Amino acid sequence: MSFLHSALAATTLMAMAFSSSINAHAADPENTVVLTLKDGDVAIELNPDVAPKHVEQIKKLVREGAYDGVAFHRVIPGFMAQTGDVKFGNLDKNYNANRVGTGGSQYADIPAEFSDKPFVRGTVGMARSQNPNSANSQFFIMFNEGSFLNGQYTVIGEVTSGMEAVDKIKKGNEADNGSVDNPDKIVKAIVLSDRK
């Protein structure tokens, strides 16, 4: 009888684990971007309901392969890792160490889509200049909470798996605003629904 109870309990636990695993991967593949980094894949669930114009531009650039080879040019320990300068930041072609972080894409800048989504560990936000309507292609992933950014930068999504790979991104020089020598890069970026 106790064996039967143990078997039933084990079966119930396995079913619960399987169910939560399914739910964890129930994100919309059309709004999930996967970044392949040197230490593994990072899945980002995008929020088209919160920042539709930003999400549309990010997906368009991903589908064009614009992020493949692009450096994490500004990485501040305990804060965030910034990437996405498709004009000056591609380590595989035309990388410009003096200008990386100042470029965008061939598309127009996007008006701010601020929301009440907080900046916490794993939040993905859009980088911009002092002008709130200047986000274009660059984005950053938070290592830790950053409530001082709330309502000041557009949140486009959150990391749902692979933060351990984000944590291993090569850090920059804090005295030089996180500038990274010989930076890590996005090896490849895809929209999950396009995975063959």
Side-chain angles (χ1 to χ4, degrees):
M1 199 62 155
S2 64
F3 172 77
L4 181 60
H5 280 106
S6 297
L8 281 172
T11 304
T12 303
L13 283 173
M14 286 193 319
M16 286 169 60
F18 180 72
S19 169
S20 75
S21 165
I22 295 273
N23 291 336
H25 295 94
D28 175 9
E30 178 56 27
N31 288 300
T32 301
V33 166
V34 178
L35 306 179
T36 299
L37 308 185
K38 73 179 190 322
D39 291 301
D41 286 349
V42 179
I44 298 169
E45 184 176 345
L46 300 173
N47 301 141
D49 53 326
V50 173
K53 292 177 181 158
H54 289 78
V55 166
E56 180 184 344
Q57 185 136 309
I58 292 288
K59 290 197 301 185
K60 183 165 38 174
L61 289 165
V62 167
R63 286 188 159 125
E64 291 173 357
Y67 290 118
D68 298 355
V70 173
F72 283 92
H73 65 273
R74 182 173 175 243
V75 184
I76 301 175
F79 179 30
M80 59 90 221
Q82 184 173 332
T83 185
D85 184 343
V86 301
K87 186 172 185 180
F88 300 119
N90 193 313
L91 288 164
D92 298 335
K93 56 184 180 198
N94 304 323
Y95 181 72
N96 187 328
N98 295 320
R99 300 195 66 190
V100 65
T102 65
S105 69
Q106 72 270 32
Y107 301 114
D109 291 346
I110 315 161
E113 293 177 304
F114 298 152
S115 67
D116 59 3
K117 283 209 165 246
F119 280 87
V120 296
R121 176 171 163 79
T123 297
V124 182
M126 290 297 286
R128 62 171 176 81
S129 69
Q130 295 300 316
N131 175 356
N133 300 313
S134 63
N136 187 291
S137 63
Q138 294 188 48
F139 61 90
F140 57 92
I141 304 172
M142 299 295 289
F143 290 125
N144 288 313
E145 178 274 342
S147 57
F148 59 95
L149 301 175
N150 292 352
Q152 308 294 315
Y153 289 79
T154 298
V155 172
I156 59 164
E158 49 273 328
V159 172
T160 54
S161 69
M163 269 307 289
E164 62 280 358
V166 174
D167 289 333
K168 292 176 182 171
I169 293 169
K170 185 179 180 185
K171 308 302 185 284
N173 181 348
E174 288 184 75
D176 192 19
N177 200 25
S179 177
V180 187
D181 290 328
N182 301 310
D184 288 342
K185 67 181 179 180
I186 298 170
V187 177
K188 184 157 187 63
I190 65 160
V191 176
L192 188 56
S193 59
D194 297 342
R195 181 172 271 170
K196 305 278 187 285

